[in-house]
Amino acid sequence: MSIERFEKPVYVTKPFLPSLDEFCDNLSEIWDNQWLTNDGPILKRFTRELSNHFESDNICLFNNGTLALQIGLQGMGISGEVITTPFTFVATTHALFWNKIRPIFVDIEPDYYTLDPDKVEAAITPWTSAILAVHVFGHPCRHNALADIARRHNLKLIYDAAHAFGVRIGNKSIVHFGDMNMFSFHATKLYHSIEGGMLSFKNSSLKKTFNYLKNFGFENEVEVVMPGTNAKMNEIQAVMGSMVLKHLDDIIEKRRQITELYRQRLCDVDGITLPRRLPDDITYNYCYMPVEVNEGEFSMSRDELHERLKEYNIFARRYFYPLVCDFPCYRSLAIDTPLTVARAVADSILTLPIYYDLSLDDVQKICDIIIEIGRNKEKEYLRSKKPLEVATGGI
Ligand code: T4K
């Protein structure tokens, strides 16, 4: 290795942390209140902050994104079959499963890896009640096309927007699109509250239902109006969420710089494909840095590169491999349409480190290492051939 390995591990992500002093100052309010959870005063204030941020009262907070989505589907009465993508984190599908809904996997688009609207209509059956699309890596789905299908077939349009906090379409936040959106505030996300989740929704009457469902269905001390669960956000999560919100613009700007540097350094590397740039009307959040590795052109498979990077203390991730439909718990589900694009993307995708504290120098070094690994592999390959083979191209 001619480039030195990183001294400390460089993970795919690291949570943004506000200053510890500031965090402790804010915690003192919890100690004063002696109130830790169950719709406490800080959660109420944090909910108002997010309502103002999104200019919407139609939001509801949860202790994580998975339960938010599960409750959202249940509260909206989604049942039967739901058309969804196999190229996502497994929680998207689990939320359907926990509601006894059958996922119908449909292929994705090659540019942004989101559900392909052109393939959705053919998968609709009399049992279909909704489309659950994912703004994967924060790339917005083709909303107008999906909304048109949903309207014509009387389906609900739901987005797993776990990655899309801070994304805007035109001059509107992405929270305002579709019938319902779920956002994850997990520590690994660009915006987080340690763990946490949020639903945004069109129909304001759903708020009451979601509030019941996340708090055991309690109307008051003696009345339970529906079989709810426990999915409440606590006061420490709310403190963190409120503090990180204040840094959102800085966080996104730093990630933009990192993304631009990766793009600049890797755009001409044979066998590395960057996602297509988003249309001009999208304000992006730069939440992940996916690249596709073409084995033939890079002279090494995605999996080999993933392993080689570990030798340099770089822990990229294969988000999202395998496809959800290939996990043993979903393998027996019938799939009627070929998932050609999703399979090709899952087999070649690698998400590179990107987080607020990652320095641009470190990004340069990660790129140097990727380029170096590719080059050395090519040299090894040429060395392994006999001189005549190289000269004649093996003919
Ligand atoms: N829908 C979609 C499309 C999602 O991507 C997710 C979650 C959900 C739904 C569900 O939302 P939540 O219920 O989680 O709110 C991580 C996250 O746990 C998960 O939230 C996220 N998607 C998924 C894409 O990534 P893992 O298993 O890859 O996480 P883990 O623990 O391996 O962490 C990744 C790296 O982050 C580590 O290598 C080191 C670093 N890290 C992690 C943590 C937790 C830190 O530096 N500090 C930390 O505190 O799932």
Side-chain angles (χ1 to χ4, degrees), residues 11-15 64-67 88-89 91-92 134 160 162-163 182 184-189 195-196 288 317 319-320:
Y11 294 116
V12 69
T13 188
K14 235 188 209 182
N64 63 59
T66 305
L67 281 172
T88 182
F89 189 60
T92 314
V134 179
D160 177 334
H163 304 170
M182 180 282 282
S184 164
F185 297 175
H186 185 263
T188 55
K189 300 293 183 296
E195 292 252 13
Y288 287 87
R317 290 292 288 264
Y319 292 139
F320 290 100

PDB file of all heavy atoms in Angstrom, residues 11-15 64-67 88-89 91-92 134 160 162-163 182 184-189 195-196 288 317 319-320, ligand 1:
ATOM      1  N   TYR A  11     -16.084   5.452   9.059  1.00  0.00           N
ATOM      2  CA  TYR A  11     -17.333   4.738   8.795  1.00  0.00           C
ATOM      3  C   TYR A  11     -18.132   5.449   7.720  1.00  0.00           C
ATOM      4  O   TYR A  11     -17.862   6.599   7.381  1.00  0.00           O
ATOM      5  CB  TYR A  11     -18.157   4.633  10.087  1.00  0.00           C
ATOM      6  CG  TYR A  11     -17.489   3.769  11.137  1.00  0.00           C
ATOM      7  CD1 TYR A  11     -17.076   4.308  12.346  1.00  0.00           C
ATOM      8  CD2 TYR A  11     -17.282   2.409  10.897  1.00  0.00           C
ATOM      9  CE1 TYR A  11     -16.456   3.518  13.301  1.00  0.00           C
ATOM     10  CE2 TYR A  11     -16.657   1.612  11.851  1.00  0.00           C
ATOM     11  CZ  TYR A  11     -16.248   2.172  13.050  1.00  0.00           C
ATOM     12  OH  TYR A  11     -15.636   1.391  13.983  1.00  0.00           O
ATOM     13  N   VAL A  12     -19.141   4.741   7.243  1.00  0.00           N
ATOM     14  CA  VAL A  12     -19.991   5.312   6.195  1.00  0.00           C
ATOM     15  C   VAL A  12     -20.660   6.592   6.688  1.00  0.00           C
ATOM     16  O   VAL A  12     -20.910   7.522   5.928  1.00  0.00           O
ATOM     17  CB  VAL A  12     -21.034   4.268   5.713  1.00  0.00           C
ATOM     18  CG1 VAL A  12     -22.071   3.958   6.779  1.00  0.00           C
ATOM     19  CG2 VAL A  12     -21.695   4.702   4.427  1.00  0.00           C
ATOM     20  N   THR A  13     -20.905   6.642   7.980  1.00  0.00           N
ATOM     21  CA  THR A  13     -21.496   7.849   8.545  1.00  0.00           C
ATOM     22  C   THR A  13     -21.118   7.967  10.011  1.00  0.00           C
ATOM     23  O   THR A  13     -20.589   7.020  10.608  1.00  0.00           O
ATOM     24  CB  THR A  13     -23.033   7.841   8.394  1.00  0.00           C
ATOM     25  OG1 THR A  13     -23.530   9.122   8.795  1.00  0.00           O
ATOM     26  CG2 THR A  13     -23.693   6.774   9.230  1.00  0.00           C
ATOM     27  N   LYS A  14     -21.357   9.151  10.539  1.00  0.00           N
ATOM     28  CA  LYS A  14     -21.134   9.440  11.949  1.00  0.00           C
ATOM     29  C   LYS A  14     -22.202  10.458  12.305  1.00  0.00           C
ATOM     30  O   LYS A  14     -22.461  11.365  11.498  1.00  0.00           O
ATOM     31  CB  LYS A  14     -19.764  10.126  12.100  1.00  0.00           C
ATOM     32  CG  LYS A  14     -18.812   9.494  13.040  1.00  0.00           C
ATOM     33  CD  LYS A  14     -17.631  10.396  13.208  1.00  0.00           C
ATOM     34  CE  LYS A  14     -16.390   9.612  13.517  1.00  0.00           C
ATOM     35  NZ  LYS A  14     -15.247  10.493  13.718  1.00  0.00           N
ATOM     36  N   PRO A  15     -22.797  10.335  13.486  1.00  0.00           N
ATOM     37  CA  PRO A  15     -23.848  11.306  13.783  1.00  0.00           C
ATOM     38  C   PRO A  15     -23.284  12.708  14.000  1.00  0.00           C
ATOM     39  O   PRO A  15     -22.179  12.857  14.530  1.00  0.00           O
ATOM     40  CB  PRO A  15     -24.478  10.786  15.078  1.00  0.00           C
ATOM     41  CG  PRO A  15     -23.554   9.756  15.614  1.00  0.00           C
ATOM     42  CD  PRO A  15     -22.598   9.344  14.545  1.00  0.00           C
ATOM     43  N   ASN A  64     -39.148   6.100  16.655  1.00  0.00           N
ATOM     44  CA  ASN A  64     -38.271   5.742  15.525  1.00  0.00           C
ATOM     45  C   ASN A  64     -39.084   5.720  14.231  1.00  0.00           C
ATOM     46  O   ASN A  64     -40.324   5.775  14.273  1.00  0.00           O
ATOM     47  CB  ASN A  64     -37.528   4.412  15.756  1.00  0.00           C
ATOM     48  CG  ASN A  64     -38.470   3.241  15.877  1.00  0.00           C
ATOM     49  OD1 ASN A  64     -39.237   2.954  14.969  1.00  0.00           O
ATOM     50  ND2 ASN A  64     -38.420   2.550  17.019  1.00  0.00           N
ATOM     51  N   GLY A  65     -38.375   5.637  13.137  1.00  0.00           N
ATOM     52  CA  GLY A  65     -39.038   5.709  11.840  1.00  0.00           C
ATOM     53  C   GLY A  65     -39.840   4.458  11.505  1.00  0.00           C
ATOM     54  O   GLY A  65     -40.882   4.531  10.868  1.00  0.00           O
ATOM     55  N   THR A  66     -39.333   3.308  11.948  1.00  0.00           N
ATOM     56  CA  THR A  66     -40.011   2.047  11.628  1.00  0.00           C
ATOM     57  C   THR A  66     -41.412   2.023  12.232  1.00  0.00           C
ATOM     58  O   THR A  66     -42.394   1.714  11.546  1.00  0.00           O
ATOM     59  CB  THR A  66     -39.176   0.857  12.149  1.00  0.00           C
ATOM     60  OG1 THR A  66     -37.864   0.961  11.606  1.00  0.00           O
ATOM     61  CG2 THR A  66     -39.780  -0.467  11.759  1.00  0.00           C
ATOM     62  N   LEU A  67     -41.499   2.365  13.537  1.00  0.00           N
ATOM     63  CA  LEU A  67     -42.824   2.366  14.177  1.00  0.00           C
ATOM     64  C   LEU A  67     -43.706   3.466  13.599  1.00  0.00           C
ATOM     65  O   LEU A  67     -44.922   3.303  13.496  1.00  0.00           O
ATOM     66  CB  LEU A  67     -42.680   2.507  15.695  1.00  0.00           C
ATOM     67  CG  LEU A  67     -42.297   1.206  16.401  1.00  0.00           C
ATOM     68  CD1 LEU A  67     -41.974   1.441  17.866  1.00  0.00           C
ATOM     69  CD2 LEU A  67     -43.415   0.171  16.277  1.00  0.00           C
ATOM     70  N   THR A  88     -34.360  -0.975  -0.844  1.00  0.00           N
ATOM     71  CA  THR A  88     -34.578  -0.114   0.319  1.00  0.00           C
ATOM     72  C   THR A  88     -34.040  -0.812   1.555  1.00  0.00           C
ATOM     73  O   THR A  88     -33.644  -1.986   1.511  1.00  0.00           O
ATOM     74  CB  THR A  88     -36.084   0.189   0.478  1.00  0.00           C
ATOM     75  OG1 THR A  88     -36.276   1.068   1.595  1.00  0.00           O
ATOM     76  CG2 THR A  88     -36.918  -1.073   0.706  1.00  0.00           C
ATOM     77  N   PHE A  89     -34.040  -0.084   2.658  1.00  0.00           N
ATOM     78  CA  PHE A  89     -33.727  -0.704   3.950  1.00  0.00           C
ATOM     79  C   PHE A  89     -34.906  -1.607   4.309  1.00  0.00           C
ATOM     80  O   PHE A  89     -36.061  -1.280   4.019  1.00  0.00           O
ATOM     81  CB  PHE A  89     -33.524   0.385   4.997  1.00  0.00           C
ATOM     82  CG  PHE A  89     -32.995  -0.105   6.316  1.00  0.00           C
ATOM     83  CD1 PHE A  89     -31.773  -0.755   6.395  1.00  0.00           C
ATOM     84  CD2 PHE A  89     -33.715   0.100   7.490  1.00  0.00           C
ATOM     85  CE1 PHE A  89     -31.277  -1.194   7.626  1.00  0.00           C
ATOM     86  CE2 PHE A  89     -33.221  -0.331   8.714  1.00  0.00           C
ATOM     87  CZ  PHE A  89     -31.996  -0.976   8.771  1.00  0.00           C
ATOM     88  N   ALA A  91     -36.640  -2.188   6.741  1.00  0.00           N
ATOM     89  CA  ALA A  91     -37.742  -1.687   7.584  1.00  0.00           C
ATOM     90  C   ALA A  91     -38.958  -1.271   6.757  1.00  0.00           C
ATOM     91  O   ALA A  91     -40.092  -1.349   7.248  1.00  0.00           O
ATOM     92  CB  ALA A  91     -37.266  -0.505   8.433  1.00  0.00           C
ATOM     93  N   THR A  92     -38.741  -0.829   5.522  1.00  0.00           N
ATOM     94  CA  THR A  92     -39.882  -0.429   4.678  1.00  0.00           C
ATOM     95  C   THR A  92     -40.836  -1.610   4.535  1.00  0.00           C
ATOM     96  O   THR A  92     -42.049  -1.485   4.718  1.00  0.00           O
ATOM     97  CB  THR A  92     -39.390  -0.022   3.259  1.00  0.00           C
ATOM     98  OG1 THR A  92     -38.262   0.831   3.372  1.00  0.00           O
ATOM     99  CG2 THR A  92     -40.485   0.655   2.462  1.00  0.00           C
ATOM    100  N   VAL A 134     -40.080   4.804  -2.067  1.00  0.00           N
ATOM    101  CA  VAL A 134     -39.016   5.257  -1.160  1.00  0.00           C
ATOM    102  C   VAL A 134     -38.170   6.328  -1.868  1.00  0.00           C
ATOM    103  O   VAL A 134     -37.701   6.090  -2.980  1.00  0.00           O
ATOM    104  CB  VAL A 134     -38.112   4.069  -0.745  1.00  0.00           C
ATOM    105  CG1 VAL A 134     -36.989   4.533   0.186  1.00  0.00           C
ATOM    106  CG2 VAL A 134     -38.934   2.976  -0.070  1.00  0.00           C
ATOM    107  N   ASP A 160     -41.875   6.389   1.922  1.00  0.00           N
ATOM    108  CA  ASP A 160     -40.858   6.211   2.942  1.00  0.00           C
ATOM    109  C   ASP A 160     -39.811   7.265   2.605  1.00  0.00           C
ATOM    110  O   ASP A 160     -39.029   7.120   1.655  1.00  0.00           O
ATOM    111  CB  ASP A 160     -40.281   4.794   2.871  1.00  0.00           C
ATOM    112  CG  ASP A 160     -39.162   4.573   3.883  1.00  0.00           C
ATOM    113  OD1 ASP A 160     -38.522   5.568   4.262  1.00  0.00           O
ATOM    114  OD2 ASP A 160     -38.908   3.416   4.264  1.00  0.00           O
ATOM    115  N   ALA A 162     -37.542   8.293   4.715  1.00  0.00           N
ATOM    116  CA  ALA A 162     -36.549   8.179   5.794  1.00  0.00           C
ATOM    117  C   ALA A 162     -35.282   8.978   5.487  1.00  0.00           C
ATOM    118  O   ALA A 162     -34.662   9.535   6.387  1.00  0.00           O
ATOM    119  CB  ALA A 162     -36.192   6.708   6.015  1.00  0.00           C
ATOM    120  N   HIS A 163     -34.901   9.047   4.201  1.00  0.00           N
ATOM    121  CA  HIS A 163     -33.636   9.711   3.826  1.00  0.00           C
ATOM    122  C   HIS A 163     -33.836  11.146   3.367  1.00  0.00           C
ATOM    123  O   HIS A 163     -32.858  11.766   2.940  1.00  0.00           O
ATOM    124  CB  HIS A 163     -32.972   8.956   2.662  1.00  0.00           C
ATOM    125  CG  HIS A 163     -32.721   7.504   2.904  1.00  0.00           C
ATOM    126  ND1 HIS A 163     -32.330   6.630   1.922  1.00  0.00           N
ATOM    127  CD2 HIS A 163     -32.785   6.765   4.036  1.00  0.00           C
ATOM    128  CE1 HIS A 163     -32.174   5.420   2.413  1.00  0.00           C
ATOM    129  NE2 HIS A 163     -32.466   5.471   3.704  1.00  0.00           N
ATOM    130  N   MET A 182     -42.982   9.207   5.753  1.00  0.00           N
ATOM    131  CA  MET A 182     -42.288   8.873   7.000  1.00  0.00           C
ATOM    132  C   MET A 182     -40.828   9.329   6.905  1.00  0.00           C
ATOM    133  O   MET A 182     -40.146   9.050   5.921  1.00  0.00           O
ATOM    134  CB  MET A 182     -42.332   7.362   7.239  1.00  0.00           C
ATOM    135  CG  MET A 182     -41.634   6.921   8.518  1.00  0.00           C
ATOM    136  SD  MET A 182     -39.833   6.844   8.410  1.00  0.00           S
ATOM    137  CE  MET A 182     -39.595   5.320   7.557  1.00  0.00           C
ATOM    138  N   SER A 184     -37.079   9.306   9.011  1.00  0.00           N
ATOM    139  CA  SER A 184     -36.334   8.698  10.122  1.00  0.00           C
ATOM    140  C   SER A 184     -35.383   9.731  10.701  1.00  0.00           C
ATOM    141  O   SER A 184     -34.676  10.420   9.963  1.00  0.00           O
ATOM    142  CB  SER A 184     -35.527   7.501   9.620  1.00  0.00           C
ATOM    143  OG  SER A 184     -34.552   7.150  10.592  1.00  0.00           O
ATOM    144  N   PHE A 185     -35.397   9.825  12.030  1.00  0.00           N
ATOM    145  CA  PHE A 185     -34.439  10.717  12.720  1.00  0.00           C
ATOM    146  C   PHE A 185     -33.382   9.861  13.427  1.00  0.00           C
ATOM    147  O   PHE A 185     -32.966  10.156  14.542  1.00  0.00           O
ATOM    148  CB  PHE A 185     -35.149  11.572  13.772  1.00  0.00           C
ATOM    149  CG  PHE A 185     -36.201  12.539  13.255  1.00  0.00           C
ATOM    150  CD1 PHE A 185     -36.970  13.271  14.166  1.00  0.00           C
ATOM    151  CD2 PHE A 185     -36.420  12.743  11.900  1.00  0.00           C
ATOM    152  CE1 PHE A 185     -37.934  14.167  13.726  1.00  0.00           C
ATOM    153  CE2 PHE A 185     -37.394  13.640  11.449  1.00  0.00           C
ATOM    154  CZ  PHE A 185     -38.151  14.344  12.372  1.00  0.00           C
ATOM    155  N   HIS A 186     -32.990   8.751  12.803  1.00  0.00           N
ATOM    156  CA  HIS A 186     -31.991   7.872  13.417  1.00  0.00           C
ATOM    157  C   HIS A 186     -30.607   8.526  13.388  1.00  0.00           C
ATOM    158  O   HIS A 186     -30.300   9.309  12.479  1.00  0.00           O
ATOM    159  CB  HIS A 186     -31.958   6.532  12.663  1.00  0.00           C
ATOM    160  CG  HIS A 186     -31.048   5.529  13.291  1.00  0.00           C
ATOM    161  ND1 HIS A 186     -29.760   5.325  12.845  1.00  0.00           N
ATOM    162  CD2 HIS A 186     -31.238   4.704  14.345  1.00  0.00           C
ATOM    163  CE1 HIS A 186     -29.197   4.385  13.603  1.00  0.00           C
ATOM    164  NE2 HIS A 186     -30.066   4.003  14.511  1.00  0.00           N
ATOM    165  N   ALA A 187     -29.784   8.147  14.359  1.00  0.00           N
ATOM    166  CA  ALA A 187     -28.436   8.720  14.501  1.00  0.00           C
ATOM    167  C   ALA A 187     -27.613   8.694  13.216  1.00  0.00           C
ATOM    168  O   ALA A 187     -26.741   9.538  13.006  1.00  0.00           O
ATOM    169  CB  ALA A 187     -27.686   7.964  15.591  1.00  0.00           C
ATOM    170  N   THR A 188     -27.884   7.722  12.342  1.00  0.00           N
ATOM    171  CA  THR A 188     -27.100   7.614  11.107  1.00  0.00           C
ATOM    172  C   THR A 188     -27.608   8.540  10.002  1.00  0.00           C
ATOM    173  O   THR A 188     -27.017   8.592   8.927  1.00  0.00           O
ATOM    174  CB  THR A 188     -27.130   6.165  10.570  1.00  0.00           C
ATOM    175  OG1 THR A 188     -28.502   5.782  10.414  1.00  0.00           O
ATOM    176  CG2 THR A 188     -26.444   5.199  11.512  1.00  0.00           C
ATOM    177  N   LYS A 189     -28.689   9.264  10.270  1.00  0.00           N
ATOM    178  CA  LYS A 189     -29.261  10.139   9.248  1.00  0.00           C
ATOM    179  C   LYS A 189     -28.648  11.538   9.347  1.00  0.00           C
ATOM    180  O   LYS A 189     -28.154  11.937  10.400  1.00  0.00           O
ATOM    181  CB  LYS A 189     -30.781  10.248   9.426  1.00  0.00           C
ATOM    182  CG  LYS A 189     -31.493   8.922   9.318  1.00  0.00           C
ATOM    183  CD  LYS A 189     -31.405   8.371   7.911  1.00  0.00           C
ATOM    184  CE  LYS A 189     -32.159   7.084   7.725  1.00  0.00           C
ATOM    185  NZ  LYS A 189     -31.676   5.941   8.497  1.00  0.00           N
ATOM    186  N   GLU A 195     -32.622   8.515  18.151  1.00  0.00           N
ATOM    187  CA  GLU A 195     -33.568   7.702  17.387  1.00  0.00           C
ATOM    188  C   GLU A 195     -34.792   8.594  17.252  1.00  0.00           C
ATOM    189  O   GLU A 195     -35.032   9.472  18.084  1.00  0.00           O
ATOM    190  CB  GLU A 195     -33.979   6.438  18.154  1.00  0.00           C
ATOM    191  CG  GLU A 195     -32.902   5.415  18.350  1.00  0.00           C
ATOM    192  CD  GLU A 195     -33.083   4.164  17.502  1.00  0.00           C
ATOM    193  OE1 GLU A 195     -33.917   4.160  16.569  1.00  0.00           O
ATOM    194  OE2 GLU A 195     -32.366   3.190  17.770  1.00  0.00           O
ATOM    195  N   GLY A 196     -35.604   8.344  16.261  1.00  0.00           N
ATOM    196  CA  GLY A 196     -36.817   9.142  16.136  1.00  0.00           C
ATOM    197  C   GLY A 196     -37.434   8.980  14.772  1.00  0.00           C
ATOM    198  O   GLY A 196     -36.804   8.448  13.853  1.00  0.00           O
ATOM    199  N   TYR A 288     -26.528  10.557   1.308  1.00  0.00           N
ATOM    200  CA  TYR A 288     -25.657   9.398   1.080  1.00  0.00           C
ATOM    201  C   TYR A 288     -24.775   9.685  -0.128  1.00  0.00           C
ATOM    202  O   TYR A 288     -25.087  10.561  -0.943  1.00  0.00           O
ATOM    203  CB  TYR A 288     -26.479   8.133   0.788  1.00  0.00           C
ATOM    204  CG  TYR A 288     -27.182   7.563   2.010  1.00  0.00           C
ATOM    205  CD1 TYR A 288     -28.448   8.016   2.383  1.00  0.00           C
ATOM    206  CD2 TYR A 288     -26.583   6.578   2.783  1.00  0.00           C
ATOM    207  CE1 TYR A 288     -29.095   7.502   3.506  1.00  0.00           C
ATOM    208  CE2 TYR A 288     -27.215   6.056   3.899  1.00  0.00           C
ATOM    209  CZ  TYR A 288     -28.473   6.518   4.257  1.00  0.00           C
ATOM    210  OH  TYR A 288     -29.103   6.010   5.366  1.00  0.00           O
ATOM    211  N   ARG A 317     -20.431   1.034   2.833  1.00  0.00           N
ATOM    212  CA  ARG A 317     -21.511   0.051   3.015  1.00  0.00           C
ATOM    213  C   ARG A 317     -22.191  -0.261   1.692  1.00  0.00           C
ATOM    214  O   ARG A 317     -22.239   0.581   0.803  1.00  0.00           O
ATOM    215  CB  ARG A 317     -22.549   0.593   4.014  1.00  0.00           C
ATOM    216  CG  ARG A 317     -22.026   0.654   5.437  1.00  0.00           C
ATOM    217  CD  ARG A 317     -21.795  -0.712   6.051  1.00  0.00           C
ATOM    218  NE  ARG A 317     -23.022  -1.374   6.366  1.00  0.00           N
ATOM    219  CZ  ARG A 317     -23.591  -1.361   7.566  1.00  0.00           C
ATOM    220  NH1 ARG A 317     -23.032  -0.740   8.569  1.00  0.00           N
ATOM    221  NH2 ARG A 317     -24.727  -1.996   7.772  1.00  0.00           N
ATOM    222  N   TYR A 319     -25.316  -0.344   0.810  1.00  0.00           N
ATOM    223  CA  TYR A 319     -26.746  -0.004   0.911  1.00  0.00           C
ATOM    224  C   TYR A 319     -27.297   0.080  -0.495  1.00  0.00           C
ATOM    225  O   TYR A 319     -26.796   0.887  -1.281  1.00  0.00           O
ATOM    226  CB  TYR A 319     -26.953   1.346   1.591  1.00  0.00           C
ATOM    227  CG  TYR A 319     -26.600   1.405   3.056  1.00  0.00           C
ATOM    228  CD1 TYR A 319     -25.942   2.512   3.569  1.00  0.00           C
ATOM    229  CD2 TYR A 319     -26.944   0.386   3.936  1.00  0.00           C
ATOM    230  CE1 TYR A 319     -25.635   2.607   4.914  1.00  0.00           C
ATOM    231  CE2 TYR A 319     -26.630   0.477   5.296  1.00  0.00           C
ATOM    232  CZ  TYR A 319     -25.981   1.581   5.775  1.00  0.00           C
ATOM    233  OH  TYR A 319     -25.675   1.667   7.116  1.00  0.00           O
ATOM    234  N   PHE A 320     -28.245  -0.718  -0.988  1.00  0.00           N
ATOM    235  CA  PHE A 320     -28.990  -1.697  -0.237  1.00  0.00           C
ATOM    236  C   PHE A 320     -28.842  -3.050  -0.927  1.00  0.00           C
ATOM    237  O   PHE A 320     -29.494  -3.304  -1.935  1.00  0.00           O
ATOM    238  CB  PHE A 320     -30.462  -1.291  -0.126  1.00  0.00           C
ATOM    239  CG  PHE A 320     -30.605  -0.098   0.782  1.00  0.00           C
ATOM    240  CD1 PHE A 320     -30.753   1.173   0.267  1.00  0.00           C
ATOM    241  CD2 PHE A 320     -30.548  -0.258   2.166  1.00  0.00           C
ATOM    242  CE1 PHE A 320     -30.858   2.265   1.109  1.00  0.00           C
ATOM    243  CE2 PHE A 320     -30.674   0.836   3.013  1.00  0.00           C
ATOM    244  CZ  PHE A 320     -30.821   2.103   2.481  1.00  0.00           C
TER     245      PHE A 320
HETATM  246  N1  T4K B   1     -36.762   3.207   5.760  1.00  0.00           N
HETATM  247  C1  T4K B   1     -35.542   3.427   5.239  1.00  0.00           C
HETATM  248  C2  T4K B   1     -35.423   3.657   3.769  1.00  0.00           C
HETATM  249  C3  T4K B   1     -34.415   3.460   6.068  1.00  0.00           C
HETATM  250  O1  T4K B   1     -33.186   3.655   5.539  1.00  0.00           O
HETATM  251  C4  T4K B   1     -34.581   3.254   7.453  1.00  0.00           C
HETATM  252  C5  T4K B   1     -33.428   3.237   8.330  1.00  0.00           C
HETATM  253  C6  T4K B   1     -35.883   3.047   7.949  1.00  0.00           C
HETATM  254  C7  T4K B   1     -36.945   3.022   7.068  1.00  0.00           C
HETATM  255  C8  T4K B   1     -36.142   2.836   9.407  1.00  0.00           C
HETATM  256  O2  T4K B   1     -35.917   3.999  10.172  1.00  0.00           O
HETATM  257  P1  T4K B   1     -35.485   3.858  11.734  1.00  0.00           P
HETATM  258  O3  T4K B   1     -36.467   2.962  12.394  1.00  0.00           O
HETATM  259  O4  T4K B   1     -34.068   3.348  11.781  1.00  0.00           O
HETATM  260  O5  T4K B   1     -35.606   5.287  12.237  1.00  0.00           O
HETATM  261  C9  T4K B   1     -28.704   2.016   9.677  1.00  0.00           C
HETATM  262  C10 T4K B   1     -29.729   2.655  10.564  1.00  0.00           C
HETATM  263  O6  T4K B   1     -29.865   1.967  11.805  1.00  0.00           O
HETATM  264  C11 T4K B   1     -31.082   2.779   9.934  1.00  0.00           C
HETATM  265  O7  T4K B   1     -31.766   3.794  10.639  1.00  0.00           O
HETATM  266  C12 T4K B   1     -30.990   3.199   8.481  1.00  0.00           C
HETATM  267  N2  T4K B   1     -32.264   3.215   7.828  1.00  0.00           N
HETATM  268  C13 T4K B   1     -30.060   2.276   7.733  1.00  0.00           C
HETATM  269  C14 T4K B   1     -29.902   2.676   6.287  1.00  0.00           C
HETATM  270  O8  T4K B   1     -28.780   2.356   8.323  1.00  0.00           O
HETATM  271  P2  T4K B   1     -27.269  -0.146   9.917  1.00  0.00           P
HETATM  272  O9  T4K B   1     -27.605  -1.483  10.443  1.00  0.00           O
HETATM  273  O10 T4K B   1     -26.567  -0.029   8.635  1.00  0.00           O
HETATM  274  O11 T4K B   1     -26.547   0.758  11.030  1.00  0.00           O
HETATM  275  P3  T4K B   1     -25.127   0.574  11.727  1.00  0.00           P
HETATM  276  O12 T4K B   1     -25.350   0.447  13.188  1.00  0.00           O
HETATM  277  O13 T4K B   1     -24.339  -0.467  11.047  1.00  0.00           O
HETATM  278  O14 T4K B   1     -24.476   2.011  11.478  1.00  0.00           O
HETATM  279  C15 T4K B   1     -23.867   2.382  10.267  1.00  0.00           C
HETATM  280  C16 T4K B   1     -22.564   3.090  10.579  1.00  0.00           C
HETATM  281  O15 T4K B   1     -22.825   4.297  11.258  1.00  0.00           O
HETATM  282  C17 T4K B   1     -21.635   2.298  11.490  1.00  0.00           C
HETATM  283  O16 T4K B   1     -20.726   1.602  10.698  1.00  0.00           O
HETATM  284  C18 T4K B   1     -20.937   3.336  12.328  1.00  0.00           C
HETATM  285  C19 T4K B   1     -21.816   4.561  12.233  1.00  0.00           C
HETATM  286  N3  T4K B   1     -22.489   4.887  13.506  1.00  0.00           N
HETATM  287  C20 T4K B   1     -23.662   4.282  13.810  1.00  0.00           C
HETATM  288  C21 T4K B   1     -24.313   4.606  14.981  1.00  0.00           C
HETATM  289  C22 T4K B   1     -25.633   3.962  15.336  1.00  0.00           C
HETATM  290  C23 T4K B   1     -21.906   5.809  14.343  1.00  0.00           C
HETATM  291  O17 T4K B   1     -20.812   6.342  14.047  1.00  0.00           O
HETATM  292  N4  T4K B   1     -22.556   6.156  15.492  1.00  0.00           N
HETATM  293  C24 T4K B   1     -23.753   5.605  15.839  1.00  0.00           C
HETATM  294  O18 T4K B   1     -24.322   5.983  16.884  1.00  0.00           O
HETATM  295  O19 T4K B   1     -28.680   0.637   9.809  1.00  0.00           O
END
